[in-house]
Amino acid sequence: MQKRYLFAPGPTQVPPEVLLAMASPIIHHRAPDFVELFEQVRADLKWLFQTTNDVLVLASSGTGGMEGSVANFLSPGDKAIVVNMGKFGERWGKICKSFGVIVDEIVVEWGHAVDPQLIAEALQKNPDTKAVFIQASETSTGVANDTHAIADIVRPLSDTILVVDAITALGVFDIRTDEWGVDVVVTGSQKALMLPPGLAFVSVSEKAWKLAESAKNSYFYYNFKKEAEGQRKQQTAFTPAVSMIVGLKEALRMLKEEGLQNIFARHARLANAMREGVAAAGLSIFPKESPSNALTAIQAPEGIDGQKIYARLREPYAITAAGGQDHLKGKIFRISHMGYVDTFDVIMALSAVEMVLKDLGHPVPLGVGVGKAEELLRKPI
Ligand SMILES: *Cc1c(COP(=O)(O)O)cnc(C)c1O
């Protein structure tokens, strides 16, 4: 017998309550029980997104939500600013280009956050820019952006929308969709929402709907207008992922019971303990600034291949984390602490890192990183 542990930055662990809910017999999506279910999850999603806007539910991975957020709001030949500070920012650029959008890419060195001033300057240079695309949390590098500051720059512009990939941000740290004026917020089910992969969610502001009116692009499945019209009547355009939505209801119930501020505080506390534990073990985190509370990207020590760390965590220790991507392959490994996680997930992950590094011949003192995290995570009597 080998017990498995999942510490990857997606998919993440799913609570037993959600798994059990998802095992219920399938209900029909045009029957009254679905209407009741969908009404509930739509209301709860608005709470999670901190918005009164529509939050569309799509049967796809997160990237489907990203693709729809390009296709529905922009036309071929439109200009967009894309922040590329890692793998997922690069993806915004690729999607835009595949829909004929002219991309002004702000390339940020991996490990850094974007300086919001660069976005302001790019907008001044191209005032006819239709959309700005960013990640709230860039999962490939473990860096968070200052979404609030960026929203302050875009919000006053009446013909430019801000589209935020919040796939490892929403339900981890504060994203105030309406208060900050974020036009389009995208997330997926398999990260902080504590669900299996398979759903994407997109909130759409009035400004974005206005842009959608004039946009001409080709799409069929990701038709946001059609989805919104149906979903306001608790009907999806196509067969929804019914079991996922049943699980979503339970996940949102759990999140609501905890409360937004407590969710953010839990993630901040765990992320801090992870980073402090990593430092105490003599290791360095990869982000040069504003590390995301969703995951920690850790630098592989000199002379040790990060992929070997990843591989040894998996075998023999049965822990699934993540390696680095592209030029970071072998240089970093990543451990998630988002979603269904608490104190002992961080302790276990740190313990495993210490053991694996020791196995690989790195002089890490066993228990020091763990001890630091224990100190930080102990609860007062
Ligand atoms: C996981 C993730 C995505 C979406 O990936 P899918 O595999 O399509 O679900 C997009 N952006 C970020 C920042 C992510 O972490």
Side-chain angles (χ1 to χ4, degrees), residues 61-121:
S61 83
T63 306
M66 293 172 77
E67 172 162 337
S69 300
V70 173
N72 282 269
F73 305 117
L74 299 178
S75 311
D78 278 353
K79 288 183 188 167
I81 293 167
V82 170
V83 172
N84 176 353
M85 44 186 263
K87 209 61 201 159
F88 292 103
E90 186 182 279
R91 185 170 300 175
W92 273 136
K94 284 183 181 166
I95 297 171
C96 281
K97 284 174 197 158
S98 70
F99 283 96
V101 172
I102 299 164
V103 174
D104 178 8
E105 200 171 49
I106 298 176
V107 180
V108 178
E109 194 190 332
W110 289 28
H112 289 268
V114 68
D115 175 358
Q117 199 48 42
L118 293 177
I119 295 173
E121 283 163 19

Side-chain angles (χ1 to χ4, degrees), residues 39 71 74 82 104 172 247-248 276 279 306 372:
E39 204 161 15
L74 299 178
V82 170
D104 178 8
V172 175
L248 173 64
E276 292 287 327
K372 182 71 189 176

Side-chain angles (χ1 to χ4, degrees), residues 44-55:
D44 291 350
L45 282 168
K46 289 182 187 201
W47 164 81
L48 181 69
F49 275 69
Q50 304 189 56
T51 187
T52 56
N53 298 329
D54 287 300
V55 180

Side-chain angles (χ1 to χ4, degrees), residues 9-10 61-64 66 88 91 135 137-140 165-168 188 190-191 338:
S61 83
T63 306
M66 293 172 77
F88 292 103
R91 185 170 300 175
Q135 266 63 36
S137 164
E138 172 55 70
T139 317
S140 62
D165 167 358
I167 297 181
T168 55
Q190 80 275 26
K191 310 275 171 111
M338 77 182 125

Side-chain angles (χ1 to χ4, degrees), residues 306-327:
Q307 290 305 103
K308 286 215 175 105
I309 300 170
Y310 162 78
R312 190 157 176 86
L313 281 166
R314 249 195 93 79
E315 188 61 50
Y317 295 110
I319 287 181
T320 304
Q325 293 163 292
D326 288 359
H327 66 273

Side-chain angles (χ1 to χ4, degrees), residues 204-284:
V204 183
S205 73
E206 280 306 317
K207 205 208 266 186
W209 282 127
K210 245 186 18 221
L211 196 58
E213 288 298 326
S214 60
K216 289 174 207 66
N217 231 319
S218 36
Y219 49 76
F220 182 79
Y221 187 70
Y222 299 113
N223 184 333
F224 283 7
K225 184 156 179 270
K226 185 173 167 176
E227 281 296 347
E229 282 165 3
Q231 294 194 15
R232 283 172 199 146
K233 292 179 264 174
Q234 324 307 340
Q235 286 298 317
T236 53
F238 311 103
T239 310
V242 175
S243 300
M244 289 288 296
I245 294 169
V246 172
L248 173 64
K249 180 185 170 195
E250 180 60 19
L252 286 166
R253 187 197 63 72
M254 292 174 70
L255 291 171
K256 267 175 53 179
E257 192 176 275
E258 185 175 12
L260 278 183
Q261 296 316 314
N262 291 334
I263 293 169
F264 303 150
R266 171 168 55 87
H267 283 91
R269 184 166 54 84
L270 296 175
N272 178 59
M274 174 62 82
R275 296 192 284 258
E276 292 287 327
V278 163
L283 302 168
S284 305

